């Protein structure tokens, strides 16, 4: 179930304060352009959110898709127009796209597997560009991905894709993420096997636990109720789209915090978990961070802060599954394992290796592309290890869950759990928000214990892996 603390008494923060304190670029611009979106460091995009909702929304007839049927060509979602809809819930700004899912071989309206990990934005069409440097997510997406995918499947998985990129991938980025860690491989395999032993396959687990695909009206209803629980009604622009490759992504657009949700991945039992991940963790910690003296890069250096990750993504990933009856950490575990294997395998070898865990060849392709992004010749061993941060953060938080003050972890903003004791005397806590699902400390700790048990983790093992 979802803990509901009733009407919130948190002070309302003006939406424009969301990015206050972030370093601005010359000319007053914040963030970096990425396909028309401005992404902030503390708005980490979710790769493939495995979320849950404790109660089904009321069945409502979905809006007509006649316009889509008349024009089957995909159109980009509206990026600069988020009209307020005059309705009983007009306080929530809405934006909808009736575009098709960005996959040529996927039928319209077909649900996308939550095991899918395709948050690599579309490459721009060839042509002149005034951008001096590409957004990282764009730079890491091969421009010939569809061509190489077709070659790979036509060759019956015996062809190593030769990826091309619109612009050279920054060497500093590739250098930073070229090494994979094996520290938690054993735990990753244990989590994966726990799911397979219970359900036979992840596809079976998803079908059993995910619930039905929601209509737009049902999604709006769940979002509206969640925003009320967190006391942030009217602060976040919400976009519903069928042209998003990930399940959801939090971003800043037109100086407003914006949450884009993929209609094709919004399942009845997982949607609220996605909201806890994006709003309850990334957004609220971002709002709290704006009030802190370390809200800027200079401030972080002054206070000697550790990087926000892996704490940030580990905490958000835990919140995604927090209220599931079976809170398996499949996605984080398989990501970790896949990247480790990619570091010493070719693309074909990796694809074959994942056959034991992922039956859907389309989903398996996406895991492999994600692990091999940045490479040109995928016949060579190599990986992009950034996605190991999820399981890394999860296990570190679970290891120290009995000593972490989770209220302070939320209130102090984008900080590591290791910095809490150092920062608590300097923090501006009078305006801090605590997510509604974290307010009952005892219940919250019980749910974390349940995650440990469900995933066959042992405290003694975690203590040995991560000694004080």
């Amino acid at each position: 179930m979802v803990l509901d603390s009733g009407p919130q008494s948190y002070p309302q923060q003006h939406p424009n304060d969301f990015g206050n304190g972030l370093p601005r670029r010359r000319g007053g611009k914040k963030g970096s352009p990425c396909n028309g979106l401005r992404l902030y460091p503390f708005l980490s995009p979710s790769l493939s959110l495995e979320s849950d909702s404790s109660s089904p929304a009321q069945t409502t007839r979905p809006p007509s898709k006649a316009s889509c049927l008349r024009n089957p060509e995909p159109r980009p979602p509206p990026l600069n127009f988020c009209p307020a809809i005059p309705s009983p819930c007009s306080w929530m700004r809405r934006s909808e796209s009736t575009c098709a899912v960005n996959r040529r071989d996927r039928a319209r309206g077909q649900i996308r597997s939550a095991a899918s990990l395709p948050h690599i934005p579309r490459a721009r069409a060839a042509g002149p560009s005034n951008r001096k440097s590409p957004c990282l997510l764009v730079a890491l997406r091969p421009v010939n991905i569809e061509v190489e995918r077709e070659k790979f499947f036509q060759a019956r998985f015996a062809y190593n894709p030769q990826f091309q990129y619109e612009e050279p991938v920054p060497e500093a980025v590739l250098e930073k993420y070229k090494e994979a860690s094996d520290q938690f491989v054993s735990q990753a395999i244990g989590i994966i096997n726990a799911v397979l032993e219970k359900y036979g396959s992840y596809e079976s687990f998803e079908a059993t636990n995910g619930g039905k695909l929601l209509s737009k009206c049902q999604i709006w209803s769940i979002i509206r109720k969640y925003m009320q629980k967190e006391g942030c009604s009217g602060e976040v622009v919400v976009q519903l789209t069928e042209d998003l490759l990930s399940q959801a992504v939090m971003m800043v657009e037109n100086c407003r915090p914006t949450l884009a949700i993929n209609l094709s991945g919004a399942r009845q039992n997982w949607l609220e978990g996605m909201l806890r991940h994006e709003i309850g963790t990334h957004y609220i910690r971002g709002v709290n961070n704006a009030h802190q003296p370390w809200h800027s890069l200079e401030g972080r250096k002054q206070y000697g802060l550790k990087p926000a990750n892996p704490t940030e993504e580990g905490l958000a990933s835990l919140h995604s599954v927090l209220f599931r009856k079976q809170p398996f950490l499949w996605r984080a575990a398989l990501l970790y394992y896949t990247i480790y294997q990619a570091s010493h395998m070719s693309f074909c070898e990796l694809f074959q290796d994942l056959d034991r865990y992922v039956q859907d060849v389309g989903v398996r392709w996406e895991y492999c592309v994600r692990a091999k992004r940045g490479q040109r010749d995928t016949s060579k061993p190599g990986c992009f290890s950034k996605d190991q941060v999820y399981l890394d953060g999860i296990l570190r938080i679970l290891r120290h869950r009995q000593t972490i003050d989770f209220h302070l972890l939320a209130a102090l903003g984008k900080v590591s759990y290791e910095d809490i004791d150092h920062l608590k005397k300097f923090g501006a806590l009078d305006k801090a928000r605590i997510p509604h699902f974290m307010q009952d400390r005892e219940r919250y700790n019980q749910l974390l214990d349940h995650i440990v048990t469900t995933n066959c983790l042992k405290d003694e093992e975690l203590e040995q892996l991560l000694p004080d």
Side-chain angles (χ1 to χ4, degrees):
M1 70 177 194
V2 175
L3 298 176
D4 186 352
S5 58
Q8 305 295 311
S9 59
Y10 308 132
Q12 297 292 312
Q13 164 133 346
H14 192 279
N16 289 336
D17 292 341
F18 184 55
N20 282 354
L22 293 171
R24 291 176 177 264
R25 295 191 171 192
R26 293 180 181 178
K29 294 183 179 179
K30 295 187 288 186
S32 58
C34 176
N35 285 354
L37 309 180
R38 291 191 176 96
L39 299 178
Y40 283 78
F42 56 76
L43 292 180
S44 305
S46 296
L47 304 177
S48 173
L49 300 171
E50 299 177 321
S51 316
D52 72 298
S53 175
S54 62
S55 58
Q58 294 180 350
T59 303
T60 313
R61 184 178 179 182
S64 170
K65 293 187 177 180
S67 61
C68 277
L69 297 177
R70 288 194 297 269
N71 182 13
E73 290 298 319
R75 295 172 297 170
L79 296 178
N80 298 314
F81 179 61
C82 302
I85 306 297
S87 70
C89 57
S90 60
W91 51 263
M92 181 168 62
R93 293 179 62 83
R94 301 183 176 187
S95 177
E96 297 182 9
S97 170
T98 55
C99 307
V101 178
N102 185 22
R103 278 281 298 278
R104 292 181 296 179
D105 59 346
R106 188 178 297 277
R108 185 181 302 278
Q110 180 180 348
I111 190 165
R112 189 180 192 90
S113 170
S116 173
L117 299 168
H119 184 68
I120 308 176
R122 287 178 189 258
R124 291 174 179 240
S129 173
N130 294 325
R131 292 180 300 134
K132 294 183 179 180
S133 62
C135 167
L136 175 60
L137 295 178
V138 174
L140 288 172
R141 178 181 173 89
V143 294
N144 63 336
I145 190 169
E146 292 298 333
V147 173
E148 293 302 289
R149 185 180 190 276
E150 186 174 352
K151 290 181 181 179
F152 179 77
F153 282 95
Q154 285 182 348
R156 297 182 179 273
F157 321 138
Y159 167 74
N160 287 300
Q162 303 296 300
F163 290 136
Q164 299 173 5
Y165 300 90
E166 184 175 4
E167 298 186 40
V169 180
E171 287 297 327
V173 173
L174 295 180
E175 183 69 21
K176 181 178 179 180
Y177 295 112
K178 72 176 184 179
E179 300 291 340
S181 171
D182 64 352
Q183 185 175 10
F184 304 120
V185 169
S186 177
Q187 287 68 38
I189 294 174
I191 293 169
I192 294 168
N193 286 336
V195 175
L196 299 181
E197 288 173 9
K198 187 173 181 64
Y199 292 96
S201 68
Y202 180 78
E203 290 79 5
S204 176
F205 165 72
E206 183 181 54
T208 303
N209 294 275
K212 66 180 181 180
L213 185 65
L214 297 171
S215 69
K216 290 181 182 178
C217 294
Q218 290 171 323
I219 294 173
W220 286 127
S221 176
I222 292 173
I223 293 172
R224 181 176 68 252
K225 291 176 182 177
Y226 185 84
M227 295 293 190
Q228 290 173 337
K229 290 177 184 178
E230 299 298 5
C232 58
S233 300
E235 296 179 10
V236 179
V237 176
V238 179
Q239 295 179 349
L240 301 185
T241 177
E242 290 179 336
D243 199 39
L244 186 67
L245 289 181
S246 63
Q247 297 302 304
V249 60
M250 192 75 191
M251 57 198 174
V252 172
E253 180 185 320
N254 295 329
C255 300
R256 291 291 305 273
T258 300
L259 173 62
I261 299 174
N262 191 340
L263 281 167
S264 298
R267 284 183 176 249
Q268 174 184 345
N269 297 332
W270 290 356
L271 179 60
E272 189 161 324
M274 180 274 293
L275 295 172
R276 287 195 298 273
H277 184 122
E278 300 293 347
I279 302 297
T281 309
H282 292 320
Y283 174 70
I284 288 183
R285 272 170 53 97
V287 169
N288 290 338
N289 194 75
H291 296 298
Q292 306 304 334
W294 48 82
H295 64 266
S296 66
L297 181 60
E298 293 75 14
R300 295 187 72 88
K301 291 180 179 178
Q302 178 184 346
Y303 285 88
L305 267 63
K306 298 180 184 296
N309 271 322
T311 297
E312 178 76 17
E313 290 299 347
L315 186 65
S317 298
L318 286 169
H319 291 165
S320 291
V321 303
L322 193 65
F323 289 98
R324 287 190 188 181
K325 293 180 180 178
Q326 301 293 334
F328 284 109
L329 299 164
W330 168 277
R331 180 188 68 86
L334 189 56
L335 268 175
Y336 194 97
Y337 172 85
T338 301
I339 288 169
Y340 171 71
Q341 293 294 78
S343 68
H344 58 271
M345 288 184 176
S346 69
F347 193 102
C348 291
E349 292 169 339
L350 179 64
F351 189 87
Q352 184 62 36
D353 183 73
L354 291 184
D355 178 57
R356 71 183 82 177
Y357 299 137
V358 183
Q359 297 175 357
D360 187 315
V361 294
V363 171
R364 210 188 315 161
W365 158 267
E366 290 164 350
Y367 271 95
C368 293
V369 170
R370 186 136 201 108
K372 287 288 188 179
R373 56 184 172 160
Q375 278 190 293
R376 294 184 180 274
D377 182 0
T378 65
S379 67
K380 301 176 182 178
C383 69
F384 188 78
S385 64
K386 189 174 186 295
D387 291 339
Q388 286 192 320
V389 70
Y390 297 97
L391 186 63
D392 187 304
I394 286 169
L395 295 183
R396 292 179 189 276
I397 290 173
L398 293 179
R399 157 66 176 89
H400 297 283
R401 70 188 186 282
Q402 296 173 354
T403 58
I404 293 175
D405 186 328
F406 286 97
H407 280 197
L408 280 177
L409 186 58
L412 292 172
K414 300 287 184 174
V415 302
S416 167
Y417 72 87
E418 298 175 271
D419 285 329
I420 292 177
D421 290 340
H422 164 58
L423 295 175
K424 60 185 178 183
K425 60 180 175 241
F426 303 110
L429 304 178
D430 55 325
K431 296 182 179 181
R433 301 185 186 183
I434 307 299
H436 79 280
F437 55 85
M438 297 180 73
Q439 292 183 359
D440 186 333
R441 293 175 186 262
E442 182 178 359
R443 176 60 173 155
Y444 184 82
N445 289 332
Q446 290 173 351
L447 293 169
L448 293 182
D449 290 340
H450 182 47
I451 292 175
V452 170
T453 303
T454 300
N455 289 277
C456 301
L457 299 171
K458 294 180 174 59
D459 286 321
E460 299 79 7
E461 183 180 21
L462 292 177
E463 289 171 4
Q464 291 177 359
L465 280 169
L466 300 165
D468 289 326

